[in-house]
């Protein structure tokens, strides 16, 4: 467990204090769409993994308060080593990162020396250092389309995103067997029941969903792509198969439309809330800005090695506007 003291003086006005500290520290607050609504609302910028990486690389702030999970804050530090990067809760991990220990990934690579490693950003800094090119869900297609068809590819750690790309491109890839526990929990049976209750409502799904869910989706894309679809689809009700906190942005952008979260196995569990993202709270954001802890630190040799595959992503995705270029199926 993280040992930082998050106890606050009684009566602390969190909104005002976070705002004061942000100015005092010359800090930028970056938040992912899966953060709690109050964190999204106080952030300077809310985005998907690609957009947040770009913001972290370009910011003039002295401090980046990263409200997301650890691989995202690590990415910010890799790209902006001179900034202080704080993550409100250092235990905010990711099941995909956990599924891919660097020593096993290294052995897998060594067993396939003629393959390049195209790796999802949801992985550790060590795995990034062992990879050739990083992708996010919004940049994966643009990047894959630039790799010559004869080039053999290892794709990790998300086998569902890899499988989706493989099917869409008709291109075989060796898939690492990782999954996102959140997207894995959607139930096809319950989704079909929901579709029956809302005839005509389209389904928007993140490519981390298993194929049984993707097969029922009208739109597949990154979080920002799904958000864009929510703003532009012609109907009035949308079924959303990704982490439900993104619906906060949808409800703000198009309050006249109805957004319904796709169900988990028992129809109404909370199993689609990312337990790692949920560790960040306003209290922890406040103490992170106050104490400049917990801080992300990365050994310089490792950082430089990991930066190569991230820089390749930023170069190859330069035409991607972060609006879910995975597009409609
Ligand atoms: P996006 O890049 O689409 O925001 O996805 C990040 C993520 O962790 C989804 O589970
Ligand atoms: Fe990782 Fe899934 Fe949470 Fe995204 S939603 S951070 S992939 S566990």
């Amino acid at each position: 467990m993280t040992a930082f003291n998050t106890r606050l003086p009684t009566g602390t006005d969190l909104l005002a204090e976070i705002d004061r500290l942000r100015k005092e520290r010359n800090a930028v607050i970056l938040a992912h769409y899966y953060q709690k609504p109050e964190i999204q609302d106080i952030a300077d910028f809310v985005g998907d993994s690609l957009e947040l990486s770009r913001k972290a690389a370009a910011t003039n702030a002295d401090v980046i308060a990263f409200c997301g999970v650890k691989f995202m804050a690590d990415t910010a530090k890799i790209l902006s080593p001179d900034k202080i990067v704080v993550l409100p809760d250092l235990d905010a991990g990711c099941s995909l990162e956990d599924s891919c220990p660097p020593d096993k990934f290294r052995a897998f690579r060594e067993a396939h020396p003629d393959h390049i490693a195209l790796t999802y950003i949801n992985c550790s800094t060590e795995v990034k250092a062992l990879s050739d090119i990083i992708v996010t869900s919004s940049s994966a297609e643009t990047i894959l389309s630039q790799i010559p068809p004869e080039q053999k590819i290892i794709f990790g750690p998300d086998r569902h995103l890899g499988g989706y790309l493989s099917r869409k491109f008709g291109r075989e890839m060796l898939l690492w067997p990782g999954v996102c526990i959140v997207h894995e929990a959607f139930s096809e049976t319950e989704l079909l029941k929901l579709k029956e209750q809302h005839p005509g409502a389209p389904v928007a799904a993140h490519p981390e969903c298993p194929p049984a869910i993707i097969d029922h989706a009208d739109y597949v894309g990154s979080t920002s792509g799904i958000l864009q679809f929510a703003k532009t689809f012609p109907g009035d009700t949308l079924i959303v198969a990704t982490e439900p906190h993104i619906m906060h942005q949808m409800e703000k952008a198009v309050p006249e439309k109805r957004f319904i979260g796709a169900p988990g196995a028992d129809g109404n569990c909370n199993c689609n809330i990312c337990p790692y993202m949920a560790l960040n709270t306003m209290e922890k954001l406040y103490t992170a800005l106050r104490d400049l802890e917990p801080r992300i630190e990365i050994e310089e040799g490792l950082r430089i090695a990991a930066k190569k595959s991230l820089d390749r992503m930023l170069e190859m995705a330069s035409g991607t506007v972060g609006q879910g270029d995975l597009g409609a199926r």
Side-chain angles (χ1 to χ4, degrees), residues 34 69 71 93-96 122 180-183 208 243 274 276-277:
Y34 296 167
V69 290
F71 77 80
C94 171
S95 65
L96 283 168
N122 298 35
C180 160
I181 51 165
V182 173
H183 290 84
E208 287 174 13
E243 214 272 2
C274 175
Y276 307 102
M277 292 274 182

Side-chain angles (χ1 to χ4, degrees), residues 32-34 47-52 69 71-72 94 96 120-122 136-138 180 182-183 206-208 221-226 242-243 246 274 277:
H32 189 266
Y33 291 123
Y34 296 167
D48 72 7
S49 307
L50 178 66
E51 295 162 340
L52 292 169
V69 290
F71 77 80
M72 297 178 178
C94 171
L96 283 168
Y120 193 31
I121 196 164
N122 298 35
T136 63
S137 53
S138 61
C180 160
V182 173
H183 290 84
H206 197 279
E208 287 174 13
S222 74
T223 49
S224 57
I226 291 174
T242 193
E243 214 272 2
I246 193 174
C274 175
M277 292 274 182

Side-chain angles (χ1 to χ4, degrees), residues 217-267:
D218 300 278
Y219 177 84
V220 181
S222 74
T223 49
S224 57
I226 291 174
L227 182 56
Q228 187 61 15
F229 182 76
K231 290 176 187 169
T232 51
F233 80 101
D236 57 11
T237 304
L238 177 67
I239 298 173
V240 180
T242 193
E243 214 272 2
H245 286 111
I246 193 174
M247 289 191 278
H248 178 58
Q249 293 296 328
M250 297 176 183
E251 282 153 6
K252 277 194 348 186
V254 264
E256 67 281 10
K257 291 189 182 181
R258 184 167 178 214
F259 301 105
I260 306 171
D266 74 357

